Coordinates of all heavy atoms in Angstrom, one line a residue:
R962 N -7.2 21.4 103.4 CA -7.9 22.6 103.8 C -9.1 22.3 104.6 O -10.0 21.5 104.1 CB -8.2 23.4 102.5 CG -7.1 24.0 101.8 CD -6.5 25.1 102.6 NE -5.4 25.8 101.9 CZ -4.1 25.5 101.9 NH1 -3.7 24.4 102.6 NH2 -3.2 26.2 101.2
I963 N -9.2 22.9 105.8 CA -10.4 22.8 106.6 C -11.0 24.1 106.8 O -10.3 25.1 107.0 CB -10.0 22.2 108.0 CG1 -9.4 20.8 107.9 CG2 -11.2 22.1 108.9 CD1 -8.9 20.3 109.2
L964 N -12.3 24.2 106.8 CA -13.1 25.4 107.0 C -14.0 25.2 108.3 O -14.7 24.1 108.3 CB -14.0 25.8 105.8 CG -15.0 26.9 106.0 CD1 -14.2 28.2 106.3 CD2 -15.9 27.0 104.8
E965 N -14.0 26.1 109.2 CA -14.9 26.1 110.3 C -15.7 27.4 110.4 O -15.1 28.4 110.4 CB -14.1 25.9 111.6 CG -15.0 25.8 112.9 CD -14.1 25.7 114.1 OE1 -13.1 26.5 114.3 OE2 -14.5 24.9 115.0
V966 N -17.0 27.2 110.4 CA -17.8 28.4 110.6 C -18.3 28.5 112.0 O -19.2 27.7 112.4 CB -19.0 28.4 109.6 CG1 -19.8 29.7 109.7 CG2 -18.5 28.2 108.2
G967 N -17.8 29.3 112.9 CA -18.1 29.4 114.3 C -16.9 28.9 115.1 O -16.9 27.7 115.4
T968 N -16.1 29.8 115.5 CA -14.9 29.4 116.3 C -15.1 29.1 117.8 O -14.6 28.2 118.4 CB -13.8 30.5 116.2 OG1 -13.6 30.9 114.8 CG2 -12.5 30.0 116.7
F969 N -15.9 30.0 118.4 CA -16.2 30.0 119.8 C -14.8 30.1 120.5 O -14.0 31.0 120.2 CB -17.0 28.9 120.3 CG -17.5 29.0 121.7 CD1 -18.0 30.2 122.1 CD2 -17.5 27.9 122.6 CE1 -18.5 30.4 123.4 CE2 -18.0 28.1 123.9 CZ -18.5 29.3 124.3
L970 N -14.5 29.2 121.4 CA -13.2 29.3 122.2 C -12.1 28.6 121.5 O -10.9 28.6 122.0 CB -13.4 28.7 123.6 CG -14.5 29.4 124.5 CD1 -14.5 28.7 125.8 CD2 -14.2 30.9 124.6
G971 N -12.3 28.0 120.3 CA -11.3 27.3 119.6 C -11.1 25.9 119.9 O -10.2 25.2 119.3
F972 N -12.0 25.3 120.7 CA -11.8 23.9 121.0 C -12.0 23.0 119.8 O -11.1 22.1 119.5 CB -12.9 23.5 122.0 CG -12.8 22.1 122.6 CD1 -12.1 21.8 123.7 CD2 -13.5 21.0 122.0 CE1 -12.0 20.5 124.3 CE2 -13.4 19.8 122.5 CZ -12.7 19.5 123.6
S973 N -13.0 23.1 119.0 CA -13.2 22.3 117.9 C -12.2 22.6 116.8 O -11.7 21.6 116.1 CB -14.6 22.4 117.3 OG -14.9 23.8 117.0
S974 N -11.7 23.8 116.7 CA -10.6 24.1 115.7 C -9.4 23.3 116.0 O -8.8 22.7 115.1 CB -10.3 25.6 115.9 OG -11.4 26.5 115.9
L975 N -9.0 23.3 117.3 CA -7.8 22.5 117.7 C -8.0 21.0 117.5 O -7.0 20.3 117.1 CB -7.4 22.8 119.1 CG -7.0 24.3 119.3 CD1 -6.9 24.6 120.8 CD2 -5.6 24.5 118.7
C976 N -9.2 20.5 117.7 CA -9.4 19.1 117.5 C -9.3 18.8 116.0 O -8.6 17.8 115.6 CB -10.8 18.7 117.9 SG -11.1 18.8 119.7
L977 N -9.9 19.6 115.1 CA -9.9 19.4 113.7 C -8.4 19.5 113.1 O -8.0 18.8 112.2 CB -10.8 20.4 113.0 CG -12.3 20.1 113.2 CD1 -13.1 21.4 112.8 CD2 -12.8 18.9 112.3
A978 N -7.7 20.5 113.7 CA -6.3 20.7 113.2 C -5.4 19.6 113.4 O -4.4 19.5 112.7 CB -5.8 22.0 113.9
K979 N -5.7 18.7 114.3 CA -4.8 17.5 114.5 C -4.7 16.6 113.3 O -3.7 15.8 113.2 CB -5.3 16.7 115.7 CG -5.2 17.5 117.1 CD -5.8 16.7 118.2 CE -5.7 17.4 119.5 NZ -4.4 17.5 120.1
G980 N -5.6 16.6 112.4 CA -5.5 15.8 111.2 C -4.9 16.4 110.0 O -4.8 15.8 108.9
L981 N -4.6 17.7 110.1 CA -4.1 18.5 108.9 C -2.8 17.9 108.4 O -1.9 17.4 109.1 CB -3.8 19.9 109.3 CG -5.0 20.9 109.3 CD1 -4.5 22.2 110.0 CD2 -5.5 21.1 107.9
L982 N -2.6 17.9 107.0 CA -1.4 17.6 106.4 C -0.3 18.7 106.9 O -0.7 19.8 107.3 CB -1.5 17.6 104.9 CG -2.3 16.5 104.3 CD1 -2.5 16.7 102.8 CD2 -1.7 15.1 104.6
P983 N 1.0 18.3 106.8 CA 2.0 19.3 107.3 C 1.9 20.7 106.6 O 2.2 21.7 107.3 CB 3.3 18.6 106.9 CG 2.9 17.1 106.9 CD 1.5 17.0 106.4
D984 N 1.5 20.7 105.4 CA 1.3 22.0 104.7 C -0.1 22.5 104.7 O -0.5 23.4 103.9 CB 1.9 21.9 103.3 CG 1.2 20.9 102.4 OD1 0.4 20.1 103.0 OD2 1.4 20.9 101.2
G985 N -1.0 21.9 105.5 CA -2.4 22.2 105.5 C -2.7 23.4 106.3 O -1.9 23.9 107.1
Q986 N -4.0 23.9 106.1 CA -4.4 25.1 106.8 C -5.9 24.9 107.3 O -6.7 24.2 106.6 CB -4.4 26.4 105.9 CG -3.0 26.9 105.6 CD -3.1 28.1 104.7 OE1 -4.1 28.4 104.1 NE2 -2.0 28.8 104.7
L987 N -6.2 25.5 108.4 CA -7.6 25.5 108.9 C -8.0 27.0 109.0 O -7.3 27.8 109.7 CB -7.7 24.8 110.3 CG -9.1 24.8 110.9 CD1 -9.2 23.5 111.8 CD2 -9.4 26.0 111.7
H988 N -9.1 27.3 108.3 CA -9.6 28.7 108.3 C -10.9 28.6 109.2 O -11.8 27.8 109.0 CB -10.0 29.2 106.9 CG -8.8 29.4 106.1 ND1 -8.4 30.7 105.8 CD2 -8.0 28.5 105.4 CE1 -7.3 30.6 104.9 NE2 -7.1 29.3 104.7
T989 N -10.9 29.4 110.3 CA -12.0 29.5 111.2 C -12.6 30.9 111.3 O -11.8 31.8 111.3 CB -11.6 28.9 112.5 OG1 -12.8 28.9 113.4 CG2 -10.5 29.7 113.2
L990 N -13.9 31.0 111.3 CA -14.6 32.3 111.3 C -15.4 32.5 112.6 O -16.1 31.7 113.1 CB -15.6 32.3 110.1 CG -15.1 32.4 108.7 CD1 -14.1 31.3 108.3 CD2 -16.3 32.3 107.7
E991 N -15.2 33.7 113.1 CA -15.8 34.1 114.4 C -16.3 35.5 114.3 O -15.5 36.4 113.9 CB -14.9 33.9 115.6 CG -15.4 34.4 116.9 CD -16.7 33.7 117.3 OE1 -16.8 32.4 117.1 OE2 -17.7 34.4 117.7
L992 N -17.5 35.8 114.7 CA -18.1 37.1 114.7 C -17.7 38.0 115.9 O -17.3 39.1 115.8 CB -19.6 37.1 114.6 CG -20.4 38.4 114.7 CD1 -20.1 39.3 113.5 CD2 -21.9 38.1 114.8
D993 N -17.7 37.4 117.1 CA -17.5 38.1 118.3 C -16.0 38.4 118.6 O -15.2 37.5 118.6 CB -18.1 37.3 119.5 CG -18.0 38.1 120.8 OD1 -18.8 39.1 121.0 OD2 -17.1 37.8 121.6
E994 N -15.7 39.7 118.8 CA -14.3 40.1 118.9 C -13.6 39.5 120.2 O -12.5 39.0 120.1 CB -14.2 41.6 119.0 CG -12.8 42.2 119.0 CD -12.8 43.7 118.8 OE1 -13.8 44.3 118.7 OE2 -11.6 44.2 118.9

């Protein structure tokens, strides 16, 4: 389980997701629609 506070364009989300276990999840939070 990974948590990210501040998604922006998703760059760091995708970098972090590369290490997830096969059944893992990354939750990312973004204010701006």
Side-chain angles (χ1 to χ4, degrees):
R962 289 292 184 273
I963 300 175
L964 171 66
E965 178 184 46
V966 185
T968 311
F969 193 43
L970 301 179
F972 185 90
S973 53
S974 314
L975 292 169
C976 292
L977 290 164
K979 291 177 183 289
L981 279 170
L982 290 173
D984 60 346
Q986 291 181 343
L987 183 150
H988 292 255
T989 182
L990 285 54
E991 176 57 45
L992 176 63
D993 184 75
E994 186 173 355

